[in-house]
Amino acid sequence: MSVTIKDVARMANVSVASVSRALNGHSGVTAETQKRIREVAARLRYVPHNAARSLITRRTQTIGALLPDLHGAFFSELIRGIDLAARARGLYLLVSSSHGDATEAAIALRAMQGRVDGLLVMSPHADEAFLDENLPLVLPTVLINSHVRSERHAALDLDDFGGAYAMTEHLLSLGRKRIAFINGPEVNHDVQERCRGYREAMAKAGLADRAVVLPGDFTEESGYHAGKQALAMVPRPDAIFAANDMMAIGCLSALSEAQVRTPADIAVAGFDDIPMARYVSPPLSTVRVRIAELGESALERLVRMIEAPDDAPPEPRTVVGTELVVRASCGGSDTVRRRA
Amino acid sequence: MSVTIKDVARMANVSVASVSRALNGHSGVTAETQKRIREVAARLRYVPHNAARSLITRRTQTIGALLPDLHGAFFSELIRGIDLAARARGLYLLVSSSHGDATEAAIALRAMQGRVDGLLVMSPHADEAFLDENLPLVLPTVLINSHVRSERHAALDLDDFGGAYAMTEHLLSLGRKRIAFINGPEVNHDVQERCRGYREAMAKAGLADRAVVLPGDFTEESGYHAGKQALAMVPRPDAIFAANDMMAIGCLSALSEAQVRTPADIAVAGFDDIPMARYVSPPLSTVRVRIAELGESALERLVRMIEAPDDAPPEPRTVVGTELVVRASCGGSDTVRRRA
DNA sequence: GCGCGGAACGTAAACGTTTTCACAGGAGCT
DNA sequence: AGCTCCTGTGAAAACGTTTACGTTCCGCGC
């Protein structure tokens, strides 16, 4: 069938041990024989059988990624970041996404065993009990953007809180006092943090009593409704901060429909910086999430865990920064401000 | 270290062979002992070591995907389609994307050997010589959207030609006669097919001499420039069909800047149906590409190849359909028309 | 009672590597 | 010269499975 190390050994008149040493660049083989072996291997198009290698090495050179069913941009950016960082280290990426329920996720997770050296987990189903049940203790794992707060797992989060805080502060700095917030699905961890950031910034400005949170569910439509609701309020808000861009865009429609000027009458801001944000009218101020960087950092962290000796101290929970993207919809001058 | 089949065997007072048989549902083991073994395995949280299994089985239950550095929406949709179809069959997905050059792609491809049962290849670098050089003959492979026309490889394409043809025909049916086409990067296979579809539709309508192709490179900016160019033409086109949506959007800006009405004066259409297309003003008519379906079909095809006996007849080159999405920018009434 | 077949199970080989250990031979030392 | 110590190499074990092949035992028919 396919060519094995034995074939190479036979053709080069050496033992399999020498072939292994030569090809892996180990010492104990003369430069001359190494060259000969290399040539034979190339001529035969020998490629080591990875399964056999990892059986003995206990390394698969592969990391697994357990992901939820994400909407387009976020998903691809995250994978891109992870993949980029992985290939830089000669690692492969085994992905499994979009499992509907916890059972499916569990199956996927278990089947990863013996197939990967480490795991990146970002899943709404992955609560603490789930992890305890399905994660072998020995497998290095990094939780991405998870609500699990256990000390036992490494975790990496988006700075939802900081981003929302910064945007709220920015709106306040522009003289807006009555800032309304459009919430997302309450079960969502990111949403909670964004809302918290908004509330704290308001509180710090002594405007806690003016904070008002309108319901939403991340869809454009819910943003539209929230916009209508805001317009009906007395006194009317002078700014609306939505927990994501799609809702902010829906809100913009509601305002323009009501002949309310943005940003003159009401400023609008979103969160995520989806590609569409700069094309709506007026272009949307938002908080940019550096998703690819989130993926990269997660992978790097994971690699450190894999390579670290068992007694290495666990690293603290880490946070990946956001950027404030100021466009016309909030009345500031266009800038991008990076935040650690 | 981790628990192996031997541990299970010992705890259940049977041999490893019986454990293997019981867990794989083979015959030759009583229902009673099977139950006992299953219980012990569950209690010990035994998970078979995949490397060992695939070493002897010659199956990895994994398929590899070699992808280029794609822009967001396309990439994620494709992966989603592939992953969905893969998991439905209990297969895993090993991805490797965004390699800058052919050498990187070659390394990635070779390292997949012994790690996957089959390969999905979508890469600009994958020309025929490249494939001959780096693909082992035995590995089932499906080329996605490739310009390689070899009989030796299975292939699956997007119906770029048909989509462009249909859109051009649609514009003609609305009474437009002077339709200009904004081209993309010429090396791109999809672009060539889209342009060909446009030209043939024009020719069929007896308007071959009115066909005009403006240069572009898929960016919004190049669409803007092409729009300016079109405005300067005498006689002026009454419709502009861009090879992708981003250029169509750039073109819209150029028109609105020049106070030209869309679609009254000039109709505009794009290709891809990116999410943004429905939000620009006016909403953009475009050709929707069923990317997830492309991924699914590719995987299904690959699975058939893997399972087929060697002497099975090769399937013909296949094409995945597109949909005409009619919105306000071309003046037709809003509809989505599916095309096989 | 004896032979025979089949079911249940165990033993061991095999998969393709890496790695430990042993061995040979030569160099360097006393 | 004899000893030790390296250095290059080969033989063989090990990794955790699956599976071909034995072995045992039971029940059946004669």
Side-chain angles (χ1 to χ4, degrees):
Chain A
M1 186 68 84
S2 65
V3 32
T4 79
I5 198 173
K6 286 183 192 166
D7 301 319
V8 180
R10 203 177 319 118
M11 293 289 279
N13 281 317
V14 291
S15 72
V16 292
S18 294
V19 177
S20 176
R21 282 190 275 256
L23 263 29
N24 291 318
H26 290 184
S27 64
V29 51
T30 48
E32 185 195 0
T33 48
Q34 176 172 42
K35 181 158 172 283
R36 180 160 43 98
I37 291 172
R38 283 242 155 92
E39 281 169 1
V40 172
R43 186 153 48 83
L44 296 184
R45 292 217 196 163
Y46 167 69
V47 180
H49 193 292
N50 286 296
R53 171 182 273 171
S54 39
L55 180 57
I56 187 111
T57 308
R58 327 300 265 121
R59 277 294 175 86
T60 62
Q61 309 288 13
T62 304
I63 68 111
L66 194 73
L67 302 170
D69 195 0
L70 290 158
H71 58 283
F74 193 98
F75 182 81
S76 64
E77 271 299 287
L78 187 66
I79 298 241
R80 216 171 61 87
I82 297 174
D83 184 64
L84 224 57
R87 192 136 22 75
R89 286 168 182 69
L91 295 174
Y92 274 80
L93 189 59
L94 197 65
V95 304
S96 177
S97 70
S98 51
H99 4 256
D101 54 42
T103 316
E104 257 182 64
I107 293 172
L109 205 139
R110 309 195 64 152
M112 289 241 180
Q113 303 216 22
R115 229 184 265 268
V116 298
D117 294 338
L119 220 44
L120 257 28
V121 174
M122 171 169 177
S123 168
H125 311 301
D127 57 19
E128 200 151 356
F130 176 88
L131 293 173
D132 286 347
E133 185 65 27
N134 297 295
L135 263 190
L137 296 170
V138 290
L139 195 64
T141 302
V142 171
L143 270 31
I144 299 179
N145 231 25
S146 150
H147 54 274
V148 176
R149 297 259 151 242
S150 160
E151 290 297 318
R152 297 215 307 288
H153 301 105
L156 205 71
D157 296 323
L158 263 188
D159 188 14
D160 289 297
F161 174 83
Y165 190 97
M167 178 56 87
T168 311
E169 253 189 344
H170 175 71
L171 291 170
L172 290 167
S173 79
L174 293 173
R176 311 284 169 163
K177 301 276 187 224
R178 302 187 173 278
I179 307 176
F181 184 81
I182 310 182
N183 215 356
E186 308 234 352
V187 293
N188 188 306
H189 174 246
D190 296 284
V191 166
Q192 289 169 19
E193 286 298 291
R194 290 174 191 185
C195 189
R196 200 167 62 84
Y198 158 74
R199 284 188 190 282
E200 284 212 12
M202 291 296 278
K204 191 188 162 214
L207 299 171
D209 55 334
R210 290 207 187 157
V212 45
V213 176
L214 303 167
D217 63 4
F218 270 178
T219 64
E220 189 205 357
E221 203 185 343
S222 73
Y224 178 86
H225 287 308
K228 290 279 184 212
Q229 243 177 294
L231 287 171
M233 286 171 59
V234 192
R236 211 165 69 175
D238 53 10
I240 302 179
F241 178 20
N244 78 343
D245 283 347
M246 283 311 289
M247 293 196 297
I249 290 171
C251 183
L252 282 178
S253 311
L255 300 194
S256 90
E257 215 177 281
Q259 311 271 4
V260 172
R261 291 168 305 161
T262 309
D265 300 329
I266 301 185
V268 174
F271 208 114
D272 284 346
D273 195 26
I274 61 179
M276 209 183 299
R278 57 156 24 102
Y279 292 102
V280 293
S281 144
L284 186 66
S285 286
T286 184
V287 180
R288 180 179 302 163
V289 167
R290 297 205 293 274
I291 308 171
E293 186 180 316
L294 179 67
E296 279 183 52
S297 305
L299 190 112
E300 279 162 18
R301 174 85 180 267
L302 183 58
V303 169
R304 283 200 299 276
M305 286 177 67
I306 292 172
E307 287 171 354
D310 290 342
D311 57 352
E315 295 180 42
R317 195 173 188 95
T318 328
V319 155
V320 170
T322 55
E323 289 168 25
L324 203 58
V325 179
V326 178
R327 301 205 182 93
S329 75
C330 73
S333 54
D334 284 21
T335 55
V336 173
R337 210 179 329 149
R338 187 161 176 140
R339 298 171 17 84
Chain B
M1 187 68 84
S2 66
V3 31
T4 79
I5 198 173
K6 286 183 191 165
D7 301 318
V8 180
R10 203 178 319 118
M11 293 289 280
N13 281 317
V14 292
S15 72
V16 291
S18 294
V19 177
S20 176
R21 282 189 276 256
L23 263 30
N24 291 319
H26 290 183
S27 65
V29 52
T30 39
E32 185 196 0
T33 48
Q34 176 172 40
K35 181 157 171 283
R36 180 160 42 100
I37 290 172
R38 282 243 156 91
E39 281 169 2
V40 172
R43 186 153 47 84
L44 296 185
R45 293 217 195 164
Y46 166 70
V47 180
H49 193 291
N50 287 295
R53 171 182 273 173
S54 43
L55 180 58
I56 187 116
T57 308
R58 326 301 266 126
R59 276 295 175 86
T60 62
Q61 308 289 15
T62 304
I63 68 111
L66 194 73
L67 303 170
D69 195 0
L70 290 158
H71 58 281
F74 194 98
F75 181 81
S76 65
E77 271 300 286
L78 186 67
I79 298 238
R80 217 171 60 87
I82 297 174
D83 184 64
L84 225 56
R87 190 135 22 74
R89 286 167 182 69
L91 295 175
Y92 274 80
L93 189 59
L94 197 65
V95 305
S96 177
S97 71
S98 51
H99 3 257
D101 54 41
T103 315
E104 257 183 65
I107 293 173
L109 205 141
R110 308 195 65 152
M112 289 241 180
Q113 303 215 23
R115 228 184 265 268
V116 299
D117 295 337
L119 220 44
L120 257 27
V121 175
M122 171 169 177
S123 169
H125 311 301
D127 57 19
E128 200 151 356
F130 175 89
L131 293 173
D132 286 346
E133 184 66 28
N134 297 296
L135 262 190
L137 296 170
V138 291
L139 195 64
T141 302
V142 171
L143 269 32
I144 299 179
N145 233 23
S146 151
H147 54 275
V148 176
R149 296 259 152 243
S150 159
E151 290 297 317
R152 296 214 309 287
H153 299 106
L156 205 71
D157 295 323
L158 260 189
D159 188 14
D160 289 297
F161 174 83
Y165 191 96
M167 177 58 86
T168 310
E169 253 189 343
H170 175 72
L171 291 170
L172 290 167
S173 80
L174 294 173
R176 311 285 169 163
K177 302 274 187 225
R178 304 188 172 278
I179 307 176
F181 184 80
I182 310 182
N183 215 357
E186 308 235 352
V187 294
N188 188 306
H189 174 247
D190 296 284
V191 166
Q192 289 169 20
E193 287 298 292
R194 289 173 191 185
C195 189
R196 201 167 64 82
Y198 158 74
R199 283 189 190 280
E200 285 212 12
M202 290 296 278
K204 190 187 162 214
L207 299 172
D209 55 333
R210 291 209 188 154
V212 45
V213 175
L214 303 168
D217 62 4
F218 271 177
T219 63
E220 188 206 355
E221 203 185 344
S222 73
Y224 178 87
H225 287 308
K228 290 278 184 213
Q229 242 177 293
L231 287 172
M233 286 171 60
V234 192
R236 209 167 72 175
D238 53 10
I240 302 178
F241 179 18
N244 78 343
D245 283 348
M246 282 312 288
M247 293 195 298
I249 290 171
C251 183
L252 282 178
S253 310
L255 301 194
S256 90
E257 212 176 283
Q259 310 272 4
V260 171
R261 290 168 307 161
T262 309
D265 301 329
I266 301 184
V268 174
F271 207 115
D272 285 347
D273 195 26
I274 60 178
M276 208 184 300
R278 56 155 27 101
Y279 291 101
V280 293
S281 143
L284 186 65
S285 286
T286 184
V287 180
R288 181 178 302 162
V289 168
R290 296 206 293 275
I291 308 170
E293 186 180 316
L294 180 67
E296 280 184 52
S297 304
L299 190 112
E300 279 163 17
R301 173 85 179 268
L302 183 59
V303 169
R304 283 200 299 275
M305 287 177 66
I306 292 173
E307 287 171 353
D310 289 342
D311 57 353
E315 294 179 42
R317 194 175 188 91
T318 329
V319 155
V320 170
T322 55
E323 289 168 24
L324 203 58
V325 179
V326 178
R327 301 204 182 93
S329 75
C330 72
S333 53
D334 283 21
T335 57
V336 173
R337 210 178 329 151
R338 187 163 175 138
R339 299 172 18 84

